[in-house]
Amino acid sequence: MENKDKAAQTARIKELIEKLNVASKAYYMDAQEIMPNIEYDAMYDELRALEDETGIIFANSPTQNVGYEIVSDLPKERHPSRMLSLDKTKSREELRDWLGDQQGIMSWKMDGLTVVVTYEGGKLVKALTRGNGDIGEVITNNAKNFENVPVSISFKGHLVIRGEAVIKYSDFDKINETLGDAEAKYKNARNLCSGSVRALDPAVTKARHVQLVPFTLVEAVNEDGTPVDFGGYIHNQFEWMKDLGFDVVGWKFVDRSNILDTIEWFAQTIVTNDFPSDGLVLSYDDIEYGLSLGTTAKFPRNSIAFKWADAKEETTLRYIEWSASRTGLINPVAVFDPVELEGTTVSRASVHNVSIMRELGLGIGDTINVYKANMIIPQISEDLTPTNNVPVPDHCPVCGADTVLKDEDGVQTLYCPNPDCPAKQIKSFSNFVSREGMNIEGLSDSTIEKLIDVGIIKEFADIFRFDDYHDEFVATFVGADKGAGEKSFENLKASIKKAENSRPERLLYALGIPGIGAATAKLIAKHCHYKWDVISHLTRDQLKDIEGIGDVLADSYVSFFTDPDKVRMVNDILELVTLDETEEDAPQFLDGYTFVITGSLNGYENRDALKAEIERVGGHVAGSVSAKTSYLINNNLTSTSGKNKKAHELGIPIINEEQITAWLTTGEEPQAE
């Protein structure tokens, strides 16, 4: 009987290892979440308990491996010593008992990608990712483009610091609205950060606003070879790193008397943090005491991680909404009776894929437990009355095409194969509503995606039928506050109403004809005296008569306006939109002048508004300073920005907003200096 039990335990260990490794690979390498965090943690804890009980530990067990497997083309380098992860607990009392009578340092456990940076002689000379714990990827050039990492410091000795590369939620939201289709796989700040840190092009890293948050000083040696004296305490290391210019992880002193109150402070604060965190880290402040405790095969004994015990609430599942994405994936979203979780009301949770929906046994009317993973992301932990009665749709909820159910490594996902599905055309809708297009405020990528998901938008003209979908819109965006949903509806309605009166050049750009940017659209419209009938019937030869338009653009343009589907789409828009075809007869006194605009403005809504005024009178606005630039516009004339430096190097005059406004107002041509 004992052998049978041992065999069953061994089989279960192997099963858990396989499932956890598949989930880990999907999360760390493919940026996909195929099981809820709470399920992963429960399986991991079960695996570790079985390993402890049986003494059987396999080499591929996630309890023995740290980090992601290396698969990129980045250079590799072995760490001087193996980087260990931290043991963890969800019990506040266990954390207090672990600390005992020692003084501790409690800090945020950042949710990003661990990076080790090395300085020699005051210069950043190397940066490595954690990798698999033994071998990391060399990302030195990328680290030099982190937003807050000093490439030069006052300390001239040897310094090694370990930290977490993260992207703030506020930056993630801004970036996510501009991501192209190739980057649509990034679903949260951690995944985007991982891809950005390990990008082969450092320019990608810089554009993503990656930040490094140091949490461990690994080594600090003076120029004479003596170790830096920190008095034996971690908090002195933190203060020292801060003085060098590093944005050290947020931390607090704790002891047995205040640790529970301090944990509660962190719990209250995390909901407003602008950076991703998935728990806390508790370390002994006394460095020597912590080191004297040694390590296990995987964990150091001087620190421990605390993961939030997820608050759960019972509720009733009302229906499954199938959400089509720009990648073709159609994911199930559970909609349930609203419940209060971690201070907010939630009524929806992503189920991620068909496999998870089936494993949970979800059915309409079931009683389910919901929680917020890491106190942030709503998820379903279990179905208490599983009926598994939700059918997988045969047709895409957006375009109606036949769906495809794929099975990859035992994970079932639903796809829409139609390349013309509106859900895959988020970028074209974003272009349509952009400032230089139809200029509809309030329609971010995420909002457009939701409107497509629920069937409000299928083509451009549907945006101007928005008033017909009041109930659907409020139901989609209301959340816990119906008033907020009504206000959002009215604001967007007003913005769309304003856009119903537009200009031919705006519509031409908004249509997204390949190669026809805002400047070219204005050029064509001006050539046609702003008459839409002329604009939309230009021949190939007529287009080539317009300066700057060659064979490729002409062919693309004519192909668009001779495509019956495109013509129907444009006609649908024109039934709902009025174009002002008045020909502006503004003097072109800035013809031949090229301007670059930088810095903040006072009298204009944004740079695009000033750009429009300059172009209206013949001027050209470029994005960067070059020898062809006539003037750089910057209200901070003494700025040491890159554009100001470049202008000084090339001898290009720098003027402020007041000067360009004066020229625009008086119609005077700039005088050569």
Side-chain angles (χ1 to χ4, degrees), residues 226-478:
T226 60
V228 177
D229 183 9
F230 297 109
Y233 294 104
I234 288 178
H235 74 266
N236 288 334
Q237 293 181 335
F238 280 178
E239 293 298 334
W240 186 76
M241 287 190 288
K242 187 176 179 181
D243 290 341
L244 288 178
F246 293 96
D247 294 331
V248 181
V249 66
W251 61 277
K252 287 181 174 292
F253 284 118
V254 290
D255 56 30
R256 177 179 287 275
S257 67
N258 73 350
I259 187 170
L260 296 183
D261 289 339
T262 304
I263 295 172
E264 183 58 29
W265 179 87
F266 278 102
Q268 296 295 327
T269 306
I270 192 174
V271 295
T272 58
N273 278 347
D274 194 25
F275 53 80
S277 168
D278 58 357
L280 305 173
V281 173
L282 177 61
S283 303
Y284 296 115
D285 192 21
D286 188 323
I287 297 172
E288 288 301 320
Y289 175 78
L291 292 176
S292 71
L293 300 175
T295 67
T296 68
K298 187 178 180 183
F299 308 121
R301 291 193 173 99
N302 63 346
S303 299
I304 187 171
F306 173 77
K307 297 196 72 174
W308 305 108
D310 304 304
K312 300 179 186 177
E313 289 290 340
E314 280 189 19
T315 185
T316 301
L317 178 64
R318 293 304 175 190
Y319 60 93
I320 292 291
E321 180 181 283
W322 293 91
S323 175
S325 73
R326 66 185 76 182
T327 63
L329 275 172
I330 304 175
N331 292 327
V333 177
V335 181
F336 43 81
D337 290 341
V339 291
E340 292 289 328
L341 283 174
E342 310 293 356
T344 61
T345 302
V346 296
S347 59
R348 302 162 61 87
S350 174
V351 189
H352 302 296
N353 55 55
V354 175
S355 287
I356 291 178
M357 184 182 77
R358 292 295 184 228
E359 288 171 9
L360 288 169
L362 296 183
I364 308 306
D366 288 357
T367 301
I368 58 175
N369 266 337
V370 295
Y371 72 105
K372 275 191 177 181
N374 300 324
M375 304 178 72
I376 298 171
I377 305 169
Q379 292 191 0
I380 299 173
S381 61
E382 61 182 324
D383 190 326
L384 302 176
T385 58
T387 58
N388 205 13
N389 65 15
V390 178
V392 176
D394 296 324
H395 302 285
C396 172
V398 175
C399 70
D402 291 344
T403 55
V404 175
L405 187 62
K406 295 185 178 181
D407 192 316
E408 298 176 353
D409 296 325
V411 177
Q412 288 189 323
T413 51
L414 192 65
Y415 281 86
C416 171
N418 177 15
D420 296 320
C421 178
K424 298 180 182 180
Q425 310 301 322
I426 302 298
K427 191 173 182 179
S428 64
F429 280 94
S430 298
N431 180 77
F432 185 81
V433 304
S434 65
R435 284 175 179 167
E436 291 181 308
M438 300 306 287
N439 193 25
I440 302 176
E441 297 179 1
L443 277 178
S444 65
D445 279 10
S446 59
T447 300
I448 291 171
E449 201 158 1
K450 287 181 181 178
L451 294 176
I452 290 174
D453 284 349
V454 297
I456 294 177
I457 292 177
K458 288 185 172 65
E459 61 177 10
F460 293 150
D462 290 333
I463 294 173
F464 300 100
R465 302 185 183 102
F466 176 75
D467 200 17
D468 298 335
Y469 294 95
H470 170 273
D471 293 345
E472 292 88 341
F473 178 87
V474 174
T476 301
F477 291 88
V478 64

Side-chain angles (χ1 to χ4, degrees), residues 55-77:
I56 300 172
I57 302 177
F58 293 98
N60 65 336
S61 171
T63 67
Q64 302 303 304
N65 295 287
V66 183
Y68 56 83
E69 192 65 29
I70 306 246
V71 294
S72 78
D73 294 323
L74 290 167
K76 315 298 188 297
E77 186 171 314

Side-chain angles (χ1 to χ4, degrees), residues 101-123:
D101 295 328
Q102 291 288 319
Q103 175 171 280
I105 298 292
M106 181 168 284
S107 61
W108 295 110
K109 183 175 180 293
M110 309 300 289
D111 189 19
L113 194 72
T114 301
V115 172
V116 182
V117 291
T118 301
Y119 289 79
E120 299 285 359
K123 302 294 182 182

Side-chain angles (χ1 to χ4, degrees), residues 24-270:
S24 182
K25 175 183 179 294
Y27 184 77
Y28 287 106
M29 299 195 319
D30 302 329
Q32 294 181 0
E33 188 170 352
I34 64 173
M35 71 169 63
N37 290 344
I38 196 168
E39 183 179 346
Y40 183 95
D41 289 344
M43 292 173 67
Y44 184 95
D45 291 342
E46 181 187 353
L47 173 61
R48 190 163 64 171
L50 282 170
E51 289 176 339
D52 290 342
E53 181 181 346
T54 63
I56 300 172
I57 302 177
F58 293 98
N60 65 336
S61 171
T63 67
Q64 302 303 304
N65 295 287
V66 183
Y68 56 83
E69 192 65 29
I70 306 246
V71 294
S72 78
D73 294 323
L74 290 167
K76 315 298 188 297
E77 186 171 314
R78 185 173 294 277
H79 294 291
S81 59
R82 191 169 194 235
M83 292 179 62
L84 303 177
S85 59
L86 297 180
D87 200 0
K88 68 180 186 298
T89 180
K90 290 188 176 183
S91 167
R92 302 185 183 202
E93 290 71 22
E94 186 176 330
L95 212 61
R96 180 184 59 192
D97 294 341
W98 181 92
L99 182 61
D101 295 328
Q102 291 288 319
Q103 175 171 280
I105 298 292
M106 181 168 284
S107 61
W108 295 110
K109 183 175 180 293
M110 309 300 289
D111 189 19
L113 194 72
T114 301
V115 172
V116 182
V117 291
T118 301
Y119 289 79
E120 299 285 359
K123 302 294 182 182
L124 175 60
V125 296
K126 184 168 62 179
L128 287 177
T129 66
R130 165 180 275 181
N132 62 11
D134 292 313
I135 299 174
E137 295 161 309
V138 180
I139 57 158
T140 308
N141 290 335
N142 289 0
K144 290 179 179 178
N145 286 285
F146 288 0
E147 195 165 71
N148 67 337
V149 169
V151 295
S152 179
I153 58 176
S154 59
F155 178 67
K156 302 305 179 184
H158 170 74
L159 175 64
V160 181
I161 290 174
R162 190 176 301 155
E164 197 83 351
V166 298
I167 292 177
K168 291 182 178 179
Y169 289 128
S170 55
D171 288 327
F172 172 72
D173 289 340
K174 293 175 184 175
I175 293 167
N176 203 37
E177 292 185 358
T178 62
L179 288 179
D181 291 342
E183 296 159 307
K185 64 178 181 179
Y186 297 119
K187 301 302 181 185
N188 55 52
R190 191 230 175 262
N191 290 345
L192 180 59
C193 182
S194 177
S196 304
V197 168
R198 301 163 62 212
L200 298 180
D201 182 1
V204 173
T205 306
K206 184 173 183 178
R208 300 281 172 73
H209 303 285
V210 178
Q211 303 205 13
L212 184 71
V213 182
F215 56 75
T216 298
L217 193 154
V218 180
E219 194 175 5
V221 180
N222 291 307
E223 291 179 87
D224 61 5
T226 60
V228 177
D229 183 9
F230 297 109
Y233 294 104
I234 288 178
H235 74 266
N236 288 334
Q237 293 181 335
F238 280 178
E239 293 298 334
W240 186 76
M241 287 190 288
K242 187 176 179 181
D243 290 341
L244 288 178
F246 293 96
D247 294 331
V248 181
V249 66
W251 61 277
K252 287 181 174 292
F253 284 118
V254 290
D255 56 30
R256 177 179 287 275
S257 67
N258 73 350
I259 187 170
L260 296 183
D261 289 339
T262 304
I263 295 172
E264 183 58 29
W265 179 87
F266 278 102
Q268 296 295 327
T269 306
I270 192 174

Side-chain angles (χ1 to χ4, degrees), residues 520-533:
T520 305
K522 290 175 183 177
L523 195 65
I524 293 172
K526 183 178 179 182
H527 179 83
C528 297
H529 304 285
Y530 301 96
K531 299 299 185 276
W532 183 258
D533 190 56

